[in-house]
């Protein structure tokens, strides 16, 4: 999956009811004047629903695989007017609501409505990922100052630690890297990369976070300015590697990111804002700190040159 978005179903239909809707026959939507949608294929990944442990809860979920063809109107041969679409949807229950994680963005709502046969408004609503430049600058400050461990207290006997290891910034949607920052604030490369990140932050289109969480030794998460989230499943190291099913591993990595990791990041950021530990003043102080460290490194180098 890549560039995922999250949605919630407001119809109060059960998980089994929603899965039945996905698997029911979908009539082709054919038109002479508008885009036609034909050749639907929908399947369920698991015969029986799986369960993902979330805190002290069990999240029930399944995976829907789908494909269809979009045909735009015109006089060209149909093969020249046809675009195939394939995708994956993680369907799960949370707080008595059915939720969807789908590997689509701008056309996600249209596809969900199409596959479910919905015709009314507000039957599905977006759950936006609150990714913004202030959050990213806060993350980079935590990395640079080596305050990169965040603790989630579930109960007095149960704590989970989220460790931010590094952050990579990109200008575009490809790997045109412009900065790399790790939890090693005193290296000259780290100082220069941090400064580059801060000065070029408005140009960043995506950032890649490498982190540890609880028993999950390595997770690589891409956050984009399009409010989408993706994970590099191949870079994952942790207990999900024991699964024989790749789709199960993929689904639970995304459930972990959406239900535990991102909420913890947002919570810690918001706490710092509310406790006046992060704001415009602190951002200026952070920029000054980076500048002073860079100047100190330059002065150190010139002093060594003078002594030679």
């Amino acid at each position: 999956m890549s560039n995922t978005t999250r949605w919630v179903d407001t119809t109060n239909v059960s998980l089994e009811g929603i899965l039945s809707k996905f698997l029911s026959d979908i009539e082709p939507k054919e038109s002479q004047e508008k885009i036609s949608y034909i050749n639907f294929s929908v399947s369920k990944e698991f015969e029986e629903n799986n369960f993902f442990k979330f805190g002290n809860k069990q999240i029930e979920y399944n995976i829907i695989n789908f494909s269809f063809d979009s045909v735009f109107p015109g006089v060209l041969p149909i093969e020249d007017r046809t675009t195939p679409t394939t995708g994956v949807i993680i369907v799960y229950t949370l707080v008595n609501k059915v939720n969807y994680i789908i590997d689509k963005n701008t056309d996600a709502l249209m596809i969900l409505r199409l596959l479910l046969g919905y015709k009314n408004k507000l039957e599905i609503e977006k759950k936006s990922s609150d990714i913004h430049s202030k959050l990213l600058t806060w993350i980079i400050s935590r990395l640079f100052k080596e305050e990169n461990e965040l603790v989630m207290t579930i109960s007095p006997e149960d704590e989970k630690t989220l460790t931010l290891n590094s952050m990579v910034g990109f200008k575009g949607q490809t790997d045109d890297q412009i900065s790399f920052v790790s939890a090693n604030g005193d290296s000259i490369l780290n100082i220069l990369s941090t400064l580059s990140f801060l000065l070029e932050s408005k140009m960043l289109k995506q950032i890649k976070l490498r982190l540890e969480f609880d028993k999950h030794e390595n997770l690589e998460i891409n956050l984009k300015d399009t409010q989408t989230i993706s994970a590099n499943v191949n870079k994952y190291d942790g207990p999900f590697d024991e699964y024989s099913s790749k789709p199960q591993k993929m689904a639970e990595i995304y459930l972990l990111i959406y239900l535990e990791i991102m909420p913890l990041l947002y919570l810690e950021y918001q706490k710092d804002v509310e406790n006046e530990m992060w704001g415009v003043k602190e951002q200026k102080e952070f920029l000054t700190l980076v500048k002073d460290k860079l100047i100190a490194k330059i002065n150190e180098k010139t002093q060594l040159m003078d002594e030679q």
Side-chain angles (χ1 to χ4, degrees), residues 59 63 82 85 137 149 184 191 199-200 237 245 276 278 285 294:
I59 302 296
I63 298 172
T82 301
T85 297
T137 306
E149 289 194 355
N184 179 18
I191 295 170
L199 297 178
E200 301 281 356
D237 290 317
S245 166
E276 298 183 352
W278 187 254
E285 289 174 352
L294 180 59

Side-chain angles (χ1 to χ4, degrees), residues 140 143-146 178-199 286-298 300:
I140 201 172
L143 276 168
F144 187 81
K145 293 185 287 186
E146 298 182 56
I178 66 169
S179 58
F180 173 90
V181 179
S182 65
N184 179 18
D186 285 333
S187 74
I188 186 66
L189 287 176
N190 218 47
I191 295 170
L192 289 170
S193 290
T194 301
L195 190 60
S196 172
F197 196 110
L198 295 172
L199 297 178
F286 176 45
L287 188 58
T288 300
L289 171 66
V290 177
K291 179 198 71 174
D292 290 345
K293 280 184 174 288
L294 180 59
I295 291 172
K297 288 288 184 182
I298 294 171
E300 183 181 310

Side-chain angles (χ1 to χ4, degrees), residues 9 44 46 60 64 114 120 129 167 175 188 199 202 216 235 238 249 254 273 275 278 299:
D9 195 293
K44 188 171 64 170
F46 309 115
E60 189 175 5
I64 292 293
L114 202 59
N120 298 322
S129 300
M167 187 175 185
D175 285 358
I188 186 66
L199 297 178
K202 290 185 178 180
H216 309 277
K235 294 290 182 69
K249 175 182 175 180
Y254 275 95
V273 171
N275 293 329
W278 187 254
N299 290 340

Side-chain angles (χ1 to χ4, degrees), residues 296-307:
K297 288 288 184 182
I298 294 171
N299 290 340
E300 183 181 310
K301 181 65 175 177
T302 55
Q303 184 176 347
L304 286 172
M305 292 171 68
D306 291 339
E307 293 172 355

Side-chain angles (χ1 to χ4, degrees), residues 222-246:
N222 275 38
L223 309 177
K224 295 191 176 183
D225 64 351
T226 53
Q227 303 293 303
T228 61
I229 295 175
S230 63
N232 189 333
V233 176
N234 295 326
K235 294 290 182 69
Y236 170 85
D237 290 317
F240 298 160
D241 285 326
E242 298 176 5
Y243 295 155
S244 58
S245 166
K246 289 184 178 180

Side-chain angles (χ1 to χ4, degrees), residues 51-69:
F51 290 87
F52 169 75
K53 188 176 180 183
F54 169 48
N56 56 2
K57 301 176 183 177
Q58 292 282 348
I59 302 296
E60 189 175 5
Y61 75 91
N62 212 313
I63 298 172
I64 292 293
N65 303 293
F66 67 88
S67 66
F68 61 87
D69 290 334

